[in-house]
Amino acid sequence: MQVYLNGKFVPESQAMVSIDDRGFLFADGVYEVIHVYRQKLFEWDLHLARLGRSLAAIQLPAVDGSELSRVAQQLIGELGPEQSEASLYIEVTRGTHRRSHGFPPPGSTPPTVLMWVRPVNPIPEETVDHGISMITVPDDRWAQVWIKTIGLLPNVLAKEKAHQKGAFDAIFVRDGMVTEATSANIFMAKDGVLYTAPATNYILPGITRHVVLELAQARNITVNLTPFSVDQLVMADEAFLTGTLTEVLPIASIDGYPLKSPSGPLARQLLQDLHERAGLQP
Ligand code: PDD
């Protein structure tokens, strides 16, 4: 498949970035991942707005949204008709310059812009039915995780720790309170109230989180954006992850303790609502 790199569409095998790219050297860049359902980008405007905030936060120039949209459509056009789901990846780094911590001199390098679309497999129904297992890990990430930077080593290590313990993913815990998972936000429900961590600098404000909050409100479900502890989470009626590729994914156990419901009714309802919003269901 073709990818887009710095203004050109090139075969994936020929898409190369320099050893001096600041993304490679310093993780000096930001990214977005967008779900493509039946050739349509899910919540494009929200992703573009968040990309704009991430770029501004690390002092990179804004990107031209209509140009990105044009490129995205061209990449999506390469998907076969049998590919009902895909992901669009966008990465912008501070460009290429001989290694030095300070920013390159103004005008010395354009940002590196990479975009690709790749097919994704829909989450199997059995996974939703059985729920996933999670472990908890200390949230030792920096304090600006609201910026969607490509500096994801703590997330990578936490995910790997989960895999090594036979779990699906890890939940970050900061000062005793649950923040989020390695690439998804986390919700719990107790006595009909839905809880998720507030959108502070300690979580990535997920687009799926935002959509799920809207879907819950449309169903008159009370939502409480208050931090909760691991103990509260384990005592919940149900819990689930939300994310671009995770969608709404029920949690069955945490650190080996089974939750009351491995695949709760609220999660299933909200997943159905999300699919409807994505144009997958009537
Ligand atoms: N990750 N929290 C973290 C740390 C994330 O990396 C992500 C998304 C989310 C959910 O955000 P959204 O609903 O906008 O996808 C929360 C993407 C999918 C990734 O890194 O692949």
Side-chain angles (χ1 to χ4, degrees):
M1 280 181 81
Q2 300 270 105
V3 305
Y4 172 89
L5 181 62
N6 297 330
K8 293 196 190 88
F9 292 90
V10 288
E12 196 178 303
S13 59
Q14 287 169 29
M16 303 287 170
V17 292
S18 163
I19 59 164
D20 282 327
D21 192 276
R22 296 196 43 112
F24 177 62
L25 292 174
F26 297 115
D28 187 358
V30 296
Y31 77 109
E32 277 296 323
V33 186
I34 301 140
H35 207 128
V36 183
Y37 293 96
R38 298 200 175 142
Q39 320 265 323
K40 289 211 178 70
L41 289 159
F42 185 64
E43 301 295 345
W44 170 249
D45 291 343
L46 293 178
H47 281 280
L48 199 58
R50 186 173 64 186
L51 178 62
R53 290 194 297 277
S54 296
L55 288 166
I58 69 162
Q59 298 181 48
L60 272 176
V63 285
D64 177 352
S66 55
E67 171 66 3
L68 290 196
S69 170
R70 189 190 62 76
V71 171
Q73 292 311 328
Q74 186 157 336
L75 292 170
I76 290 168
E78 282 205 35
L79 290 169
E82 74 292 352
Q83 291 300 341
S84 66
E85 293 190 33
S87 64
L88 166 67
Y89 181 76
I90 307 175
E91 178 173 323
V92 184
T93 80
R94 205 178 304 282
T96 299
H97 199 262
R98 210 160 255 270
R99 187 176 185 279
S100 163
H101 284 67
F103 288 1
S108 60
T109 172
T112 299
V113 180
L114 167 69
M115 290 172 72
W116 48 250
V117 168
R118 289 181 179 156
V120 298
N121 293 324
I123 293 168
E125 257 175 56
E126 307 87 76
T127 310
V128 176
D129 286 346
H130 296 156
I132 52 167
S133 55
M134 303 290 289
I135 60 164
T136 55
V137 295
D139 193 343
D140 48 14
R141 299 174 299 166
W142 74 326
Q144 303 292 345
V145 301
W146 67 275
I147 308 169
K148 201 162 171 54
T149 83
I150 57 174
L152 292 172
L153 186 58
N155 309 54
V156 167
L157 294 178
K159 181 85 179 184
E160 183 56 25
K161 189 170 180 185
H163 286 171
Q164 285 171 6
K165 291 193 164 185
F168 180 87
D169 198 2
I171 298 169
F172 285 121
V173 181
R174 188 185 284 268
D175 298 332
M177 294 297 174
V178 168
T179 52
E180 60 181 340
T182 64
S183 61
N185 294 111
I186 180 163
F187 284 68
M188 66 164 225
K190 182 76 180 168
D191 301 329
V193 178
L194 198 53
Y195 297 82
T196 193
T200 64
N201 51 315
Y202 291 125
I203 69 160
L204 192 275
I207 305 304
T208 323
R209 171 186 178 278
H210 174 87
V211 169
V212 163
L213 287 172
E214 280 186 3
L215 296 171
Q217 272 149 9
R219 289 201 171 267
N220 290 322
I221 297 163
T222 309
V223 168
N224 192 335
L225 303 182
T226 307
F228 50 84
S229 66
V230 177
D231 285 352
Q232 286 172 298
L233 180 59
V234 173
M235 299 301 288
D237 296 329
E238 61 174 290
F240 54 86
L241 300 182
T242 64
T244 288
L245 302 177
T246 321
E247 300 185 317
V248 177
L249 196 51
I251 298 172
S253 68
I254 293 161
D255 291 332
Y257 295 101
L259 264 65
K260 205 167 171 184
S261 171
S263 181
L266 213 48
R268 302 177 77 87
Q269 182 65 66
L270 290 165
L271 177 59
Q272 198 181 318
D273 291 352
L274 183 84
H275 281 166
E276 210 170 294
R277 179 136 157 186
L280 289 189
Q281 277 165 5

